[in-house]
Amino acid sequence: MRPFWQKDPFQQLKRDLGNKERVLTSPEDLALYSVDATNFKGVPAAVVLAESETDISDVVNFANLNNYTITPRGAGSGLSGGCVPVEGGIVLSFERMNRIENFDVKNRTVIVQPGVVTEKLQLEAAKHGLFYPPDPSSFKISTIGGNVAENAGGLRCFKYGVTGHYVLGIEYIDAHGKLSKTGQFKDNPSEPDLTPLLTGSEGTLGIFTRIKLRLIPAPETTKTILGYFKDSESGLSTVEQIIQTGITPSVMEFIDPIAIGAAASHISAHFPEKAAALLMFEVDGSIAEVESSSKELCDILLNNAVKVVSASDAEERNKLWDLRRAISPSLIRIATGKIHEDIAVPRGKLLRMSGLISDISSKSGLKIAIYGHAGDGNMHVVILFDSSDKLAVRTAKTAAEDVFKAAISIGGTISGEHGIGCAKRDYLKLQLSDPNLNLSRQIKRAFDPQNILNPGKVLPGSTLRK
């Protein structure tokens, strides 16, 4: 408890918000908002539970006057440290800004606040025969604001694309506390549309208050199919074969032996004795389309797989999905430490990248699990190690850098969907040239000259303002 003679530095902010209970400063509250799903941690000076764009503007004005920084936060499910307040300051939480404000069935659009959970939007769209395709694995907890900030991908990327393909406009509070608009929110549509620039900006250019999204008609039916393979090579070779046929599943997931073993053990699932890797597919569309594509897909799988399984009803489909969604939480049971990265490579080089990762695993002596969205070349690489062993920790970090370098060497990228945050900030220079990095710094300064918005993220050398 603060001594009675010590002034509360957030007293004015509490008055501005009209509710001191929405400014959290207890050690317990600060600890809760100091982490995300990575190993990074940063303890803020305060947490503000925003409820309106006026609240956000008040926080930005207060931060400018009192030399605080601001870290926007959705659900805290990110895997790049994007919402970790590494420089302290104020965490601005959107958990209370969770309203779906305008569902326009006729024009197939919706306006949401940033704290709307992805699953909530998907379920609401389904009630109207509509579909919001972006589907990150954390869809039950991740928020739309966080998804847009990271330009999140997901399981349906191969057919439907990423979050950015569905963002029609953004309202945001800028670094000066003023409300700005992009895309379909703008009064003058002839002005340049900054929506693509704000999407994926990771909270460094503005703080979202409302987001307008595009919806599409819901597919008539969906079918889920699993193919079990004797090894990773057989599975990834089959991915290349399927892509060459022109079949476009909505989901095409690859799971390697380490990941499938951990997930199956975690949920007490069984899989064929000779199986060591897995491909998981969903095919959606009209009944005729799904029937035709499923048959063609199964014919290919039957020629390559140890076993093929098709879900006959929703219950079986959910059981198959339980295995895929159990991967990330199950891997921590194998080792006390994990580094979870998400490189992406050209689809035709998945097998090559798998081999390079195997070499890195052998060189480091560490287990490395691979799974992810094979359809768009997005590979989740999870390096497992003993967190109490300092040498193992250093070796794991070196292995992660080696994975990034390997991906870049074959035309890939260091992040497919998780963003850069602070986790990959210092590795970005491996991929981007100095002129490109300097251009990004100039854009950051133009939007946020005092560097109060999510400092320490994305750009190498990004630090707290002086």
Side-chain angles (χ1 to χ4, degrees):
M1 181 178 294
R2 183 182 299 107
F4 71 88
W5 62 84
Q6 183 178 338
K7 183 180 178 182
D8 179 0
F10 296 101
Q11 191 175 58
Q12 182 58 51
L13 181 58
K14 292 174 181 177
R15 284 197 293 265
D16 291 342
L17 296 178
N19 185 342
K20 65 179 181 180
E21 302 301 324
R22 291 197 283 121
V23 181
L24 311 178
T25 57
S26 73
E28 295 82 5
D29 286 326
L30 300 184
L32 285 173
Y33 292 85
S34 67
V35 296
D36 64 357
T38 65
N39 296 320
F40 291 88
K41 184 175 183 178
V43 180
V47 176
V48 175
L49 307 178
E51 293 183 351
S52 68
E53 66 183 42
T54 302
D55 289 349
I56 298 171
S57 182
D58 287 342
V59 171
V60 173
N61 291 331
F62 175 85
N64 275 309
L65 287 172
N66 295 277
N67 204 38
Y68 283 103
T69 59
I70 300 170
T71 301
R73 180 184 177 94
S77 61
L79 286 161
S80 66
C83 69
V84 176
V86 291
E87 303 284 2
I90 298 169
V91 165
L92 188 57
S93 172
F94 296 100
E95 60 200 82
R96 297 189 179 185
M97 292 183 67
N98 57 5
R99 294 190 300 277
I100 297 175
E101 295 189 341
N102 187 334
F103 213 106
D104 187 339
V105 177
K106 181 179 179 180
N107 291 303
R108 298 174 185 164
T109 63
V110 63
I111 295 174
V112 302
Q113 291 185 318
V116 170
V117 173
T118 310
E119 183 185 39
K120 178 181 177 181
L121 175 58
Q122 291 174 340
L123 293 173
E124 187 63 28
K127 292 177 184 177
H128 301 280
L130 296 173
F131 186 39
Y132 179 66
D135 188 38
S137 294
S138 58
F139 76 110
K140 287 182 178 292
I141 56 172
S142 67
T143 61
I144 297 298
N147 292 346
V148 175
E150 303 294 336
N151 195 15
L155 304 171
R156 302 189 185 110
C157 289
F158 182 44
K159 181 174 182 178
Y160 292 108
V162 299
T163 299
H165 292 110
Y166 298 87
V167 181
L168 298 174
I170 298 171
E171 286 189 350
Y172 68 99
I173 300 296
D174 66 21
H176 308 287
K178 304 298 182 183
L179 180 67
S180 297
K181 302 180 181 182
T182 76
Q184 292 190 10
F185 282 121
K186 291 183 68 66
D187 298 323
N188 183 358
S190 65
E191 294 179 0
D193 183 9
L194 298 180
T195 303
L197 183 63
L198 271 292
T199 302
S201 61
E202 303 192 31
T204 64
L205 303 182
I207 302 171
F208 305 156
T209 61
R210 298 166 82 221
I211 301 160
K212 188 171 185 178
L213 299 168
R214 177 173 69 94
L215 305 172
I216 64 174
E220 187 176 358
T221 189
T222 300
K223 189 164 189 176
T224 303
I225 302 167
L226 261 63
Y228 294 93
F229 295 83
K230 64 180 180 179
D231 52 37
S232 294
E233 291 74 17
S234 300
L236 290 172
S237 295
T238 302
V239 169
E240 294 182 8
Q241 185 179 348
I242 290 168
I243 290 172
Q244 289 171 5
T245 66
I247 303 172
T248 308
S250 56
V251 171
M252 183 155 53
E253 293 289 293
F254 169 75
I255 308 174
D256 86 342
I258 297 175
I260 192 174
S265 175
H266 186 59
I267 63 171
S268 299
H270 300 284
F271 56 95
E273 185 177 336
K274 295 181 180 179
L278 173 66
L279 288 180
M280 182 173 186
F281 301 90
E282 275 198 345
V283 181
D284 65 6
S286 69
I287 292 175
E289 288 171 336
V290 169
E291 187 175 320
S292 174
S293 296
S294 296
K295 183 181 184 305
E296 190 174 358
L297 184 60
C298 285
D299 287 343
I300 295 172
L301 293 177
L302 288 168
N303 288 327
N304 297 284
V306 172
K307 184 177 181 180
V308 179
V309 177
S310 295
S312 60
D313 55 34
E315 183 178 354
E316 284 191 9
R317 182 169 173 255
N318 289 335
K319 286 182 179 179
L320 297 181
W321 272 110
D322 286 343
L323 181 67
R324 169 61 180 85
R325 298 197 188 278
I327 295 174
S328 185
S330 71
L331 288 171
I332 199 65
R333 299 176 68 178
I334 297 178
T336 55
K338 70 173 183 175
I339 297 177
H340 189 158
E341 301 300 353
D342 71 315
I343 58 164
V345 298
R347 288 190 293 258
K349 295 184 179 179
L350 284 167
L351 190 55
R352 171 64 175 151
M353 189 65 217
S354 176
L356 293 173
I357 293 171
S358 180
D359 293 342
I360 294 168
S361 177
S362 298
K363 175 185 173 183
S364 65
L366 300 175
K367 284 185 177 182
I368 302 180
I370 307 171
Y371 67 99
H373 320 318
D376 62 339
N378 187 190
M379 303 177 80
H380 295 268
V381 180
V382 186
I383 301 165
L384 303 164
F385 59 95
D386 181 354
S387 60
S388 66
D389 184 336
K390 292 182 179 180
L391 177 59
V393 173
R394 291 197 298 271
T395 302
K397 290 179 179 178
T398 299
E401 183 171 353
D402 289 342
V403 168
F404 295 148
K405 290 178 178 177
I408 292 169
S409 74
I410 60 173
T413 177
I414 66 173
S415 180
E417 61 177 347
H418 292 165
I420 301 299
C422 56
K424 299 180 185 180
R425 178 191 64 185
D426 296 331
Y427 299 112
L428 194 58
K429 58 189 176 184
L430 297 174
Q431 185 164 341
L432 297 184
S433 65
D434 286 341
N436 281 330
L437 288 172
N438 287 334
L439 176 60
S440 296
R441 293 187 181 104
Q442 290 173 28
I443 293 171
K444 168 66 171 172
R445 283 195 293 270
F447 275 80
D448 181 18
Q450 299 302 315
N451 194 26
I452 71 165
L453 301 180
N454 215 8
K457 310 295 170 60
V458 183
L459 295 172
S462 174
T463 58
L464 184 65
R465 60 179 179 170
K466 302 298 182 183

